[in-house]
Amino acid sequence: MKTLLTDWRSTLPVAGLGVLGVTALYYFLRPKREDPDALERERRAYLNRVGRIVEGQVVDVVDGSASPPPHGVCLATDEVVPALAGKSAAAISAPQPLAPSRTVKHEALVANRHGNGKALAAGSPKLLFYTYSISGVTYETAQDITGLEEQLHLDRVAAGQTASVKYDPSNPSNSILLADDWSGLH
């Protein structure tokens, strides 16, 4: 052992083999990157299997190729906004942007799913926005229905239409409106 440490000509190849071995272990044992479409299919299958059904409502169907409205567009609402409480009528009369628009949310979902907001070459994603309530909590969410269009007749889906939503009892915000072999649209 003493000669091995003093003679660098024999130590260098051993150290190189050690580094090569550690690198090979890293590349063989690291977790593999999973296909996002496969993960979404697994999520839909899980919710279809264990999900509870609740009544919901379709809010909108958005095609990914739709152009967003200009930024700064104000949303109309009848809610009392706590930040405006106690201000004068003149200060309140100016329109205030209360929340990001649905198109901005759509852009974020597309950017998250397809990386850097680039649409797929085969076509842009379609999102189905819907809302449902569980135990007094209202959830508004969207499901990417790209690939499920043949199951869904988009011309027959209208805003305000009632639908059945399947949700995960342990995580009610995890829900679906469509699965490969189930549809909550009436």
Side-chain angles (χ1 to χ4, degrees):
M1 184 72 161
K2 199 175 204 180
T3 42
L4 184 65
L5 295 176
T6 58
D7 188 16
W8 67 271
R9 287 187 181 136
S10 35
T11 307
L12 188 62
V14 171
L17 286 174
V19 168
L20 183 66
V22 169
T23 305
L25 276 174
Y26 169 75
Y27 281 107
F28 286 121
L29 298 179
R30 71 179 175 172
K32 305 295 184 244
R33 185 174 233 181
E34 296 200 32
D35 179 30
D37 293 332
L39 290 173
E40 178 63 15
R41 278 191 302 275
E42 287 177 23
R43 184 185 79 85
R44 286 192 310 251
Y46 169 75
L47 286 171
N48 193 21
R49 190 176 62 249
V50 302
R52 292 188 184 162
I53 298 177
V54 69
E55 193 71 19
Q57 189 173 26
V58 174
V59 176
D60 199 4
V61 178
V62 177
D63 188 359
S65 63
S67 61
H71 291 288
V73 174
C74 297
L75 301 176
T77 183
D78 293 334
E79 295 180 33
V80 175
V81 180
L84 299 178
K87 292 195 176 182
S88 68
I92 296 175
S93 64
Q96 302 288 327
L98 299 175
S101 69
R102 181 167 288 115
T103 306
V104 173
K105 291 178 189 175
H106 166 67
E107 288 174 356
L109 287 170
V110 170
N112 187 27
R113 178 177 164 93
H114 300 294
N116 299 330
K118 296 177 183 172
L120 293 173
S124 53
K126 292 178 177 49
L127 293 176
L128 182 61
F129 287 88
Y130 58 97
T131 183
Y132 59 100
S133 294
I134 301 169
S135 301
V137 179
T138 301
Y139 298 91
E140 183 174 335
T141 187
Q143 181 179 351
D144 185 351
I145 56 171
T146 306
L148 298 173
E149 293 96 344
E150 64 275 356
Q151 182 178 344
L152 171 70
H153 301 288
L154 290 176
D155 54 343
R156 294 190 344 209
V157 177
Q161 177 180 351
T162 59
S164 297
V165 177
K166 280 194 177 182
Y167 70 94
D168 184 357
S170 62
N171 181 11
S173 63
N174 186 10
S175 64
I176 58 170
L177 199 57
L178 289 173
D180 295 323
D181 56 348
W182 180 81
S183 174
L185 296 171
H186 303 150

